[in-house]
Amino acid sequence: MSGRDTGNDYDLAAVTGGGDAALPNGGILNAFVEAVVARDMPSVAAARAALADAMGEAAMVDAAATIAAFNAYPRAADATGIPLEEAKRDLTADLRRELGLDILETVA
Amino acid sequence: MLAVRSAEHRVGQEERDVRRRERDGGRRHRAEPDRAEAIALCDRPDQWQRKDRDRKALGKGAGGEDEARSAGCAMGLSIRRHIAGDHLPDAVLSLTLSGPILKPVPTAMAEALKNRMPEADPEMLPGEILPGESLPGMGTFAAAALPIRPELGPALDRGWAQLGEPGAWLSGAERVAAVREARAAWDCAVCRERKAALSPYAIDGPHDSATDLPDSWVDIVHRVVTDPGRLTERWCRSVRNAGVEEDEYVELVTVATIATVIDTFALAVGLSLPDLPAVRDGAPPRRREPTATPGPGWVATIAPENAGPGFADFYANDSHFYIRRSLTLLPDEARKFWDVMNPLYLADPRIRELDGLDRAIGRAQMEFLAARASMLLGCYY
């Protein structure tokens, strides 16, 4: 949606493999989310400082907020077993295949 | 804890005031009009209450206390335009009414003021940063010396406090115990072993529990916290077969998730984890939601078409996604969950990049973080 609106191209493979996703400060954001999800506190501190340095403290806070929210949705979804909506499943079929996401559906 | 700069600072304040007045050539300091306005407002709390009512009438949210507190932590001087005496703790009021800041203030607050008041004389603002500090009487997040959006800090504080209140099926004490378990899970040896195993269901053994909650409850909380991506319907059924009510299961998931999310935000931004919420007395109603029906996942939910008049608004703005619906077996708990999540992410995810976001990062950056976090947690949805 975002890229379609702005005309920008993004590297979606970074969602699964890490990297900068061809986003401004993408590498820094990736380091931050990886550190926070891993709860690796020294890495969190370093990534937080790098992010605040590059994008400002407010951006660091909003990045943390998004990461925090997406520590909730997966837990709520996975603990209640909700399926992907049919419409969303159809719309994202190619993308899921390309990124190898379908494996997550059966991994457990 | 109030961190107080050296007494010399306060002693020297008068001298600095004199120097400033000399430097300003006798001009009135720019904070003075605001100070006068604040004092006038405090003398007339009815004025603030009227403004509060007006805001609510316009559908602009609670306003009042939350707004004042947020403004206080985020903007420093702007608090003077937003206060009434009975809305704010004394420490904030002192700060607010002091004009040039004469009284000791938390150092974190002082640092925030420095950052947001570039026009202010740095010598007016004492203090050194003590991470995790907050004002007495204010929540961890609303008072934090960070540019946390005004709607977000109070939402996190409120969400945290609600974890100590009686829920739909669990008491306040049980909910706080679940919060303790959510934290203990990260240090649980069995959870670590399971996380490293090819299948988490191949590893047995008691969790390193921090409470006297039933083992089945502890297992739910620990698994949801440490390995949510590998929960299965079979496991969920086994939990139910062990005697856990479906409603209890959903509430444990909700509490563990909210606690984990708020802790995650705190550690991400560098704040200390909040103290455990205070336990509030009271019995949970333990009433089965009559409009809930099975599915679309492993637990019953309220489908949008079945939502009664008291819950139909929950599905406004086409928010019919299954994730929105997932915890609605307990409608009040679902609302608490989303009251925390909406300001963290977006109340309406349909907003587009160019529509304007009240965020310091772009929509594409948000979606990358969202997708990456979900991927790292092994979430298919």
Side-chain angles (χ1 to χ4, degrees), chain B residues 225-247:
Chain B
V225 170
T226 61
D227 203 4
R230 296 196 291 177
L231 300 176
T232 64
E233 184 173 13
R234 185 174 171 187
W235 166 78
C236 184
R237 270 201 313 269
S238 75
V239 165
R240 300 277 313 285
N241 291 338
V244 179
E245 295 282 353
E246 186 177 34
D247 313 76

Side-chain angles (χ1 to χ4, degrees), chain B residues 198-380:
Chain B
L198 194 58
S199 168
Y201 301 97
I203 309 294
D204 214 355
H207 289 280
D208 294 330
S209 175
T211 67
D212 58 359
L213 288 179
D215 290 346
S216 53
W217 289 24
V218 173
D219 189 50
I220 293 166
V221 172
H222 281 224
R223 285 187 192 266
V224 167
V225 170
T226 61
D227 203 4
R230 296 196 291 177
L231 300 176
T232 64
E233 184 173 13
R234 185 174 171 187
W235 166 78
C236 184
R237 270 201 313 269
S238 75
V239 165
R240 300 277 313 285
N241 291 338
V244 179
E245 295 282 353
E246 186 177 34
D247 313 76
E248 293 169 340
Y249 175 82
V250 171
E251 187 157 344
L252 285 167
V253 169
T254 307
V255 168
T257 299
I258 291 174
T260 301
V261 163
I262 293 177
D263 276 357
T264 298
F265 179 78
L267 76 84
V269 300
L271 293 172
S272 303
L273 299 186
D275 293 337
L276 287 173
V279 173
R280 300 286 182 85
D281 291 335
R286 295 179 68 87
R287 185 183 73 93
R288 178 73 181 183
E289 172 56 41
T291 59
T293 53
W298 308 333
V299 297
T301 60
I302 301 176
E305 60 272 22
N306 293 336
F311 199 62
D313 66 299
F314 184 80
Y315 291 118
N317 299 324
D318 296 330
S319 301
H320 293 177
F321 296 120
Y322 287 157
I323 185 64
R324 177 89 175 159
R325 184 172 158 185
S326 59
L327 302 170
T328 54
L329 176 59
L330 310 176
D332 290 343
E333 297 305 305
R335 284 193 191 277
K336 291 175 191 171
F337 178 90
W338 287 97
D339 283 348
V340 172
M341 301 313 147
N342 284 345
L344 278 171
Y345 177 53
L346 293 169
D348 184 356
R350 297 173 304 177
I351 191 170
R352 291 172 180 267
E353 180 80 80
L354 302 180
D355 287 344
L357 283 172
D358 182 22
R359 299 289 188 273
I361 58 175
R363 183 69 200 270
Q365 291 169 319
M366 290 177 70
E367 292 310 304
F368 172 62
L369 291 169
R372 190 82 182 111
S374 299
M375 179 69 201
L376 291 168
L377 286 167
C379 179
Y380 175 74

Side-chain angles (χ1 to χ4, degrees), chain A residues 2 34 62 75 79-80 85, chain B residues 225 249 298 322 353 372 381:
Chain A
S2 192
E34 285 186 352
D62 279 339
R75 287 185 167 85
T80 57
E85 294 86 349
Chain B
V225 170
Y249 175 82
W298 308 333
Y322 287 157
E353 180 80 80
R372 190 82 182 111
Y381 181 81

Side-chain angles (χ1 to χ4, degrees), chain A residues 29-72:
Chain A
L29 291 166
N30 182 57
F32 191 47
V33 65
E34 285 186 352
V36 171
V37 173
R39 298 175 73 90
D40 176 349
M41 295 316 296
S43 298
V44 170
R48 180 196 309 128
L51 179 50
D53 217 31
M55 299 177 68
E57 209 175 30
M60 182 276 290
V61 168
D62 279 339
T66 301
I67 295 167
F70 280 84
N71 266 259

